[in-house]
Amino acid sequence: MPVVPIRRLAVALTLCCALLAGSAAWATNQGGGHGADRPAAAVAAATPSPTTSAERQKFAKTRFVANAGLAAGATYQWIWKPYKEGKFKKGAHGRKVTLVKAGLAGAFTYNRLKAAVRNAQGDPLLSKALAPLNEAIAGLKDLPAKLRKGDGSAAQSFNDAINKVKGAGKDAGAPVKDKVPSTGDLRQGANASP
């Protein structure tokens, strides 16, 4: 058997691969490839979506629980807890930073609650349970500015709204647990559309 230098093998292998790749690309451009006539269908199939009403309701509850949990966590960590510790009072150590964080948490909470209400519309029971709370949630819109000014009644309003949302979720079979967002999440979420 004749001995072939390794360089010749490498050149031959590279040439064969280049020819094979080129012919496959040409065939795909000519319509002979398997995916040439279906690229849009492949992209559409890649994003899962619920197909039955039961799946839509399950996803609605899951999204509701996630958004309401973030709102509840932000309210507790950045609004209610500092309020109870007296950090909103004049002369309190770190008051300015606490008020800024509370204002961001207020805007974040408002946006997450609006998203939770929108999610709840996919489930009839949740939608019915949250319907009376729409006005209370809408009333939270102006409270972040009051929080930044140190108005303690705004903290109570946020806490009351969160407790009502938690109660409505529990009654509808979607119990909400607090999930504390980071300060980075607060900054991003406060500016996001609900």
Side-chain angles (χ1 to χ4, degrees):
M1 182 167 198
V3 178
V4 180
I6 200 102
R7 283 190 203 159
R8 284 188 187 167
L9 282 174
V11 170
L13 184 60
T14 305
L15 186 58
C16 287
C17 289
L19 288 172
L20 183 62
S23 64
W26 180 82
T28 301
N29 286 339
Q30 296 301 317
H34 293 293
D37 55 8
R38 295 181 275 138
V43 171
T47 56
S49 63
T51 56
T52 65
S53 62
E55 286 178 337
R56 279 192 288 278
Q57 288 177 7
K58 182 179 177 184
F59 286 141
K61 278 186 178 181
T62 303
R63 289 181 186 128
F64 165 79
V65 167
N67 280 318
L70 284 169
T75 297
Y76 176 76
Q77 183 68 30
W78 306 108
I79 298 173
W80 188 246
K81 190 174 160 185
Y83 169 70
K84 288 305 243 180
E85 293 172 353
K87 292 185 178 182
F88 291 161
K89 293 181 181 176
K90 289 185 180 182
H93 179 69
R95 180 176 185 256
K96 288 183 182 180
V97 172
T98 302
L99 290 174
V100 169
K101 286 180 182 178
L104 284 172
F108 178 87
T109 297
Y110 173 74
N111 283 332
R112 291 305 88 210
L113 286 177
K114 293 297 280 182
V117 168
R118 191 177 64 244
N119 297 141
Q121 292 171 352
D123 182 78
L125 192 58
L126 261 177
S127 180
K128 188 176 181 180
L130 285 177
L133 302 178
N134 285 334
E135 190 174 315
I137 292 170
L140 297 178
K141 186 174 186 172
D142 298 328
L143 293 181
K146 288 183 179 181
L147 281 172
R148 283 189 214 105
K149 293 176 185 173
D151 186 351
S153 66
Q156 184 66 45
S157 298
F158 272 101
N159 195 46
D160 291 345
I162 289 296
N163 288 333
K164 289 177 184 176
V165 169
K166 282 178 153 181
K170 184 178 179 183
D171 293 344
V176 175
K177 295 184 180 178
D178 293 8
K179 184 172 190 284
V180 179
S182 69
T183 53
D185 292 338
L186 289 181
R187 276 181 261 146
Q188 291 174 351
N191 297 325
S193 61

